[in-house]
Amino acid sequence: MSIISEFLRHPFRTGAIAPSSPRLAEAMTTGIGLERARTVVELGPGTGVFTDAVLRRLAPGARLVAVEVNPRLAADLRARYAGLPVTVVEGSAEVLADHVDGPIDAVVSGLPWTAMPGHLQRRVLGQITSVLRAEGRFTTFAYSHTAWTPPARRFAASLRASFGVLERGPLVWPNLPPAFAYRAALPVAATGGPRGRSAALAH
């Protein structure tokens, strides 16, 4: 009920009316090197569905920094993950570089990209690519029913411009609504490499 009540309070900031499914969490956290990561950032953890999936893959000694802009959800997350290697930061992804130290191995995002204007999408992606290692990975998701809307297409174009490698995963039907994961590598800000090249990620 927490995510539903926060959606009703702040629909554009919360983005989702229902928690993501375990199947989508599995798709989001597979093949991005979490098992070898030392530091992982999660953006918009909400009720912690992706957080749980990330923690199951992290090796001993690794840490997760969860950045949540909603104060009620951030407080719930702090209580839920007390004693675990999770640091919950109440703040905005717009200033991600202020919340984390050093290069990050992976960024997992549950942010409502299609609810953002284009300039905000680009600003947050710029923050993500600025904190990722050159070999770092990024993953996020999109709902199938919005994939062809202008905000979603604008975001997909920004992803292609921000990463040298971009992969779109298969549709996860059990999610409500159905969704698919994006996985990206070779952040342009870190590598200075070519923009817009799509390819399969190495597992």
Side-chain angles (χ1 to χ4, degrees):
M1 293 297 293
S2 178
I3 196 72
I4 295 174
S5 62
E6 290 308 303
F7 176 84
L8 294 175
R9 288 169 179 266
H10 308 289
F12 292 104
R13 190 169 67 182
T14 304
I17 196 168
S20 297
S21 70
R23 288 280 297 276
L24 181 59
E26 178 74 11
M28 286 273 289
T29 56
T30 298
I32 59 169
L34 293 179
E35 297 80 2
R36 302 181 300 276
R38 305 307 299 166
T39 304
V40 176
V41 168
E42 182 181 5
L43 302 177
T47 59
V49 175
F50 296 159
T51 312
D52 290 340
V54 170
L55 288 175
R56 285 194 293 270
R57 293 182 180 274
L58 289 185
R63 70 185 184 111
L64 172 63
V65 179
V67 181
E68 174 57 59
V69 72
N70 186 301
R72 292 167 62 92
L73 295 177
D76 289 346
L77 291 165
R78 285 196 189 95
R80 177 174 178 177
Y81 296 108
L84 295 175
V86 180
T87 301
V88 178
V89 175
E90 183 185 323
S92 172
E94 292 180 70
V95 288
L96 176 59
D98 294 341
H99 301 318
V100 296
D101 297 321
I104 304 303
D105 298 298
V107 175
V108 177
S109 171
L111 295 177
W113 296 101
T114 57
M116 300 181 191
H119 68 89
L120 183 54
Q121 289 180 351
R122 292 188 294 273
R123 187 182 312 158
V124 175
L125 281 173
Q127 288 285 293
I128 291 168
T129 57
S130 73
V131 302
L132 275 172
R133 296 183 183 277
E135 65 276 16
R137 303 291 180 88
F138 170 67
T139 182
T140 189
F141 72 95
Y143 294 123
S144 60
H145 71 283
T146 65
W148 299 107
T149 63
R153 295 174 69 179
R154 182 174 59 232
F155 174 64
S158 294
L159 270 179
R160 289 190 293 270
S162 300
F163 292 90
V165 175
L166 179 64
E167 175 186 87
R168 172 175 164 168
L171 197 61
V172 179
W173 287 102
N175 198 71
L176 181 64
F180 58 87
Y182 281 116
R183 293 184 295 171
L186 298 181
V188 170
T191 65
R195 294 175 179 265
R197 179 170 57 85
S198 295
L201 289 170
H203 292 270

